[in-house]
Amino acid sequence: MDRRQALQLVAGASAAATLPVREAITSPAHARTASVPAFTLPPLGYAFDALEPHIDAETMRVHYEQHHAAYVHELNAIAAANPSLARIPMARTLRAVDKLPESLREAVRHNMGGHWNHSFFWPLMAPGGSREPHGPLKAAIEETFGSVASLRERMGRAARERFGSGWVWLGVGAKGQLVVFSTPDQDTPHMVEDVRGAVLGIDLWEHAYYLKYNAGRDDYVSAWWRVLNWDRANETFGHLLT
Ligand code: MN
């Protein structure tokens, strides 16, 4: 490199380095009005292929980058026109979704529901999570269902009974007892009477399994237990009891 080339390199680097500063100085109005989205796509926490072979990488990518991102995008559009939605905790809005103005109700139900459900779902799956429940959750499952295998059977049945899109859940009822139930579309556990919260949830939408399992939803639901992060479930159960 000769002296002229070196000088060009320095000049180029310097121009590139100062560009953002100059932009910030000359565009203060833009900086002030640029709105931060009220709702954001949470990090997945693992690679798209981390749950292979049970959940394939392409399904994870499309599910996260397209489906979940679309719920977040739509929800932000609704919140831009209705800013109070961003100030109220999602759980409170979802619990009272039927009381929202009719013009908003279905869009919030679907998009905030979809955002909440998927944000709950991603950390519930993990490569290398513990493979069995322990402590209070293990005891509660054994007391209520007899065994983890019986719980799997019970949730598998509830999944088969959910015709079309929806979710199947293991939750905690009003009296602190474990309950299995399902919701249609993107309805969340908040919308189910006498349910305190969810411990486990399985996405039953075709987009969650179709690329790998085609119409074999049962096979997907069976395989899902292989990627379940029981550590997360144990933790969530603990919060719901306090
Ligand atoms: Mn989904």
Side-chain angles (χ1 to χ4, degrees):
M1 185 185 297
D2 64 20
R3 186 179 146 76
R4 192 173 57 84
Q5 281 173 323
L7 279 172
Q8 276 175 343
L9 192 67
V10 170
S14 157
T18 56
L19 191 61
V21 177
R22 196 163 60 233
E23 263 186 353
I25 292 167
T26 55
S27 325
H30 172 76
R32 271 202 305 276
T33 54
S35 58
V36 178
F39 299 94
T40 51
L41 190 62
L44 187 60
Y46 43 82
F48 293 135
D49 65 358
L51 307 177
E52 293 263 15
H54 310 293
I55 314 279
D56 62 291
E58 185 59 6
T59 294
M60 287 302 294
R61 191 188 64 75
V62 171
H63 201 172
Y64 175 78
E65 280 187 346
Q66 295 181 24
H67 292 278
H68 190 175
Y71 298 124
V72 173
H73 180 82
E74 291 299 316
L75 182 56
N76 278 321
I78 302 164
N82 304 275
S84 63
L85 281 179
R87 291 194 293 268
I88 301 168
M90 279 202 285
R92 228 175 92 194
T93 301
L94 292 167
R95 233 173 260 128
V97 76
D98 284 334
K99 297 190 180 74
L100 287 175
E102 210 181 329
S103 58
L104 274 180
R105 203 177 299 151
E106 279 313 302
V108 170
R109 191 175 198 123
H110 186 71
N111 294 294
M112 188 181 280
H115 178 39
W116 190 92
N117 284 339
H118 289 86
S119 301
F120 178 87
F121 189 56
W122 307 128
L124 195 56
M125 300 185 289
S130 67
R131 289 287 162 254
E132 292 297 331
H134 55 252
L137 180 55
K138 183 180 192 316
I141 288 171
E142 285 171 356
E143 192 193 320
T144 311
F145 306 100
S147 65
V148 174
S150 303
L151 166 66
R152 280 204 300 265
E153 166 56 30
R154 179 73 195 80
M155 283 182 74
R157 205 160 63 232
R160 282 192 294 278
E161 287 163 5
R162 170 56 56 198
F163 188 77
S165 298
W167 293 72
V168 63
W169 306 93
L170 172 69
V172 173
K175 294 177 187 135
Q177 82 282 23
L178 287 177
V179 284
V180 169
F181 60 98
S182 79
T183 54
D185 303 319
Q186 292 299 356
D187 279 12
T188 68
H190 312 89
M191 300 173 195
V192 181
E193 215 166 324
D194 294 330
V195 165
R196 199 183 283 178
V199 178
L200 306 177
I202 310 177
D203 190 339
L204 301 176
W205 283 58
E206 283 188 348
H207 68 224
Y209 64 88
Y210 205 85
L211 290 180
K212 181 178 171 75
Y213 294 95
N214 303 141
R217 192 163 84 171
D218 267 4
D219 297 334
Y220 151 72
V221 170
S222 301
W224 184 83
W225 293 90
R226 306 291 295 273
V227 299
L228 167 56
N229 179 5
W230 279 107
D231 293 338
R232 177 75 174 188
N234 285 318
E235 194 184 319
T236 309
F237 183 64
H239 292 316
L240 289 170
L241 291 186
T242 53

